[in-house]
């Protein structure tokens, strides 16, 4: 007698659920009509991801409808499946967070992008920051994991405007407690002032503004590449349109010949 293959035991349970999306005129307090909440046993994260994506596709859910994805092991929340099937650690999304599944691949050594913007690291009383960008849009952000205020870790990112003579303007910014995007607090004036002073001091040195100029050149080259891609796309469309036009002319010529031939037999 042939034995049946032993099925893998379900280690986890994943929740499949949804709600109406008000952006689509739906009631967010109710599930979509004809849908139900499900708790599905699964043996691994890959199966949990597939169960969620199948449920999303079967019920034609948008990102604003998806409320499921919680994965539990022995009642303990161990992960959350996002709309695209990626599984994230429990809790709010934070700067630098890596997915649980698929596991991040080791980054292959890639040649450096010659048009990648340069940055400069500058110290402040609260930790180092990075300054970069071009005249059109400069950027200032904390060095990940190294910026703290009164003993609390924060992350931030903001925009700045530079001139050849130095800093023109820097936007006020909020702080992300522990890098969590949903845990935003107003940046104290002392922090705003310290960041502004550090950026202004850096930008007052002409050799540092040369970095912004080099980034401006790279930004223009990126714009040229974008326009060249647009031109290439238009040329392909034009060639296709010319082929269609020639086909129409050939069809008309054939029809005229047919009409003439039929008319000669009337």
């Amino acid at each position: 007698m042939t034995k049946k293959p032993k099925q893998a035991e379900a280690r986890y349970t994943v929740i499949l659920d949804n709600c109406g999306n008000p952006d689509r005129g739906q009631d967010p307090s109710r599930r979509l009509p004809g849908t139900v909440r499900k708790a599905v046993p699964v043996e691994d994260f890959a199966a949990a991801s597939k169960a969620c994506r199948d449920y999303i596709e079967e019920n034609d859910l948008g990102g604003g409808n998806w409320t499921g994805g919680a994965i539990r092991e022995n009642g303990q929340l161990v992960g959350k499946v996002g709309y695209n099937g990626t599984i994230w650690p429990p809790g709010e999304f934070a700067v630098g967070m890596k997915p649980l599944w698929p596991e991040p691949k080791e980054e292959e050594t890639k040649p450096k992008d010659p048009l990648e913007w340069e940055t400069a690291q500058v110290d402040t009383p609260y930790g180092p920051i990075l300054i970069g960008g071009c005249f059109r849009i400069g950027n200032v952000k904390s060095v990940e994991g190294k910026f703290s205020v009164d003993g609390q870790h924060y992350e931030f990112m903001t925009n700045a405007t530079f001139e050849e003579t130095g800093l023109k303007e820097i936007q006020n910014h909020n702080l992300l407690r522990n890098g969590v995007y949903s845990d935003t607090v107003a940046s104290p004036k002392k922090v705003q002032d310290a960041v502004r002073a550090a950026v202004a001091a850096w930008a007052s040195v002409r050799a540092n503004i040369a970095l912004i100029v080099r980034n401006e050149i790279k930004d223009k080259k990126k714009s040229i590449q974008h326009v060249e891609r647009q031109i290439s796309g238009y040329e392909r469309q034009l060639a296709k349109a010319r082929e269609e036009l020639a086909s129409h002319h050939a069809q008309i010529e054939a029809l005229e010949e047919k009409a003439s031939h039929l008319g000669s037999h009337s």
Side-chain angles (χ1 to χ4, degrees):
M1 181 181 293
T2 304
K3 293 183 179 180
K4 294 182 180 179
K6 186 178 180 180
Q7 293 183 346
E9 294 183 1
R11 178 178 176 182
Y12 307 105
T13 299
V14 63
I15 300 300
L16 311 179
D17 207 353
N18 72 91
C19 71
N21 184 351
D23 292 339
R24 293 184 175 182
Q26 301 163 349
D27 185 352
S29 66
R30 298 182 178 183
R31 297 183 183 91
L32 295 181
T35 64
V36 296
R37 180 183 185 275
K38 297 180 180 179
V40 179
V42 292
E43 62 272 14
D44 53 29
F45 282 168
S49 175
K50 184 178 186 307
C52 291
R53 284 302 309 166
D54 288 348
Y55 179 86
I56 287 168
E57 292 177 8
E58 288 169 3
N59 294 288
D60 192 25
L61 303 182
N65 297 120
W66 177 238
T67 60
I71 303 174
R72 295 186 180 275
E73 181 180 14
N74 297 324
Q76 181 73 28
L77 183 65
V78 295
K80 181 70 181 289
V81 185
Y83 179 76
N84 67 352
T86 301
I87 300 177
W88 298 96
E92 299 293 337
F93 193 76
V95 174
M97 181 179 285
K98 291 182 171 35
L100 299 174
W101 188 92
E103 294 183 4
K105 297 180 180 178
E106 293 185 7
E107 295 186 4
E108 298 179 0
T109 302
K110 297 180 180 179
K112 185 177 180 180
D113 181 0
L115 299 184
E116 179 181 343
W117 280 346
E118 298 177 44
T119 60
Q121 182 170 311
V122 177
D123 290 329
T124 77
Y126 304 100
I129 60 175
L130 293 175
I131 304 173
C134 57
F135 290 120
R136 180 177 60 83
I137 178 168
N139 51 62
V140 179
K141 64 179 182 179
S142 56
V143 174
E144 187 177 322
K146 296 185 177 181
F147 196 87
S148 63
V149 180
D150 298 331
Q152 173 63 54
H153 163 229
Y154 292 100
E155 301 288 350
F156 81 88
M157 182 172 66
T158 189
N159 294 326
T161 305
F162 296 100
E163 298 176 320
E164 292 185 16
T165 55
L167 176 67
K168 180 179 180 181
E169 182 182 11
I170 182 171
Q171 295 181 2
N172 291 333
H173 60 272
N174 291 325
L175 300 175
L176 307 179
R177 197 192 317 270
N178 295 321
V180 176
Y181 288 102
S182 62
D183 193 357
T184 303
V185 298
S187 181
K189 184 177 183 300
K190 64 180 182 179
V191 177
Q192 302 269 12
D193 291 345
V195 170
R196 183 178 292 105
V199 176
W202 177 85
S204 66
V205 178
R206 291 184 62 82
N208 293 337
I209 288 297
L211 180 149
I212 301 298
V213 175
R214 291 194 297 272
N215 284 346
E216 184 75 14
I217 294 171
K218 293 178 179 180
D219 187 62
K220 297 299 183 187
K221 289 182 177 180
K222 287 181 180 178
S223 296
I224 289 173
Q225 289 181 344
H226 174 69
V227 173
E228 287 176 341
R229 287 193 296 270
Q230 286 184 314
I231 292 173
S232 178
Y234 294 148
E235 288 176 341
R236 288 194 297 271
Q237 292 179 13
L238 183 59
K240 183 178 179 181
R242 284 174 172 159
E243 289 179 1
E244 292 179 356
L245 185 61
S247 175
H248 291 320
H249 282 305
Q251 290 174 21
I252 290 174
E253 185 177 341
L255 289 170
E256 288 177 340
E257 183 178 345
K258 180 180 291 187
S260 176
H261 177 71
L262 292 173
S264 65
H265 289 80
S266 59

